[in-house]
Amino acid sequence: MKRLLAMLALALTFWGFSFATADAAIPDDVQKLLDTKKCQVCILNEADLSNTDLNGANLKIAVLTGANLVGADLSNANLMLTDMEGANLSGATLAGAQMNGANLPNANLSGADLSNVEMTQANLTDANLSNTDLSGAVMLSVTLGTANLEGANLKGANLRGVNRSMVRFCNTTMPDGSVENRDC
């Protein structure tokens, strides 16, 4: 846990500097990712990576704010401490991805496959998670804010330490298999 907090502090320091200097993706970083599937600490803001095969990619501490990842395959990817604020991941496959400490406020994850993803202490504030498969996900201490989980599947997910008071639940399959309809 101490190591995760130290990495988060390092990432926040990095993000503070990168936001001030980079408005768009660095072309060399995009090419590096496409060629090697390894691009730690890369600047990929607003990059168009839609329908890209990034299965197993290492994007640890990368910055993908506003990136287009519609339909991308990020299965088993390392997205720890990655910043994807406002990114569009609708229909993307992230099954088995490591997303501990990832930052995804206002991200669009509608219809995405996040089954068996590990995202302890991730920030999903106000994210669109409608019709998302989160079955078996480890979501310890995830921040959701007013996230939309309409039609989402949370069966078998671990939501310990998650404040769900403002989350939209409508036809949402909860971890125990029951269906929640409080916001329909």
Side-chain angles (χ1 to χ4, degrees):
M1 184 56 112
K2 287 182 181 178
R3 183 178 173 155
L4 182 61
L5 291 174
M7 289 190 316
L8 182 58
L10 175 64
L12 290 174
T13 300
F14 167 75
W15 289 333
F17 291 115
S18 66
F19 291 145
T21 59
D23 293 326
I26 296 173
D28 288 345
D29 284 355
V30 174
Q31 195 59 52
K32 177 181 176 181
L33 174 63
L34 296 174
D35 290 345
T36 67
K37 293 188 182 181
K38 295 178 184 172
C39 203
Q40 305 94 312
V41 196
C42 284
I43 306 299
L44 302 164
N45 294 333
E46 300 177 10
D48 185 0
L49 299 166
S50 57
N51 300 306
T52 304
D53 178 8
L54 297 171
N55 187 322
N58 187 348
L59 286 159
K60 187 175 183 179
I61 316 177
V63 181
L64 291 124
T65 58
N68 179 4
L69 293 153
V70 172
D73 182 0
L74 289 155
S75 303
N76 304 304
N78 182 346
L79 299 166
M80 290 178 60
L81 302 170
T82 299
D83 185 9
M84 293 181 271
E85 182 173 356
N88 189 349
L89 292 129
S90 61
T93 302
L94 294 108
Q98 296 293 312
M99 299 177 70
N100 295 327
N103 189 44
L104 294 118
N106 300 304
N108 182 0
L109 292 141
S110 62
D113 179 358
L114 288 147
S115 57
N116 301 306
V117 70
E118 188 174 319
M119 58 171 57
T120 298
Q121 296 182 337
N123 179 5
L124 291 161
T125 302
D126 307 332
N128 181 359
L129 295 156
S130 61
N131 301 307
T132 298
D133 182 1
L134 288 154
S135 58
V138 177
M139 300 175 68
L140 302 174
S141 300
V142 167
T143 303
L144 292 171
T146 60
N148 179 5
L149 283 151
E150 181 176 350
N153 179 10
L154 294 162
K155 188 165 184 169
N158 185 339
L159 301 175
R160 195 170 352 143
V162 176
N163 181 346
R164 298 177 261 175
S165 64
M166 298 185 305
V167 175
R168 176 176 165 81
F169 292 119
C170 177
N171 196 31
T172 304
T173 304
M174 301 307 283
D176 64 359
S178 65
V179 177
E180 180 76 37
N181 284 310
R182 75 170 187 213
D183 297 312
C184 293

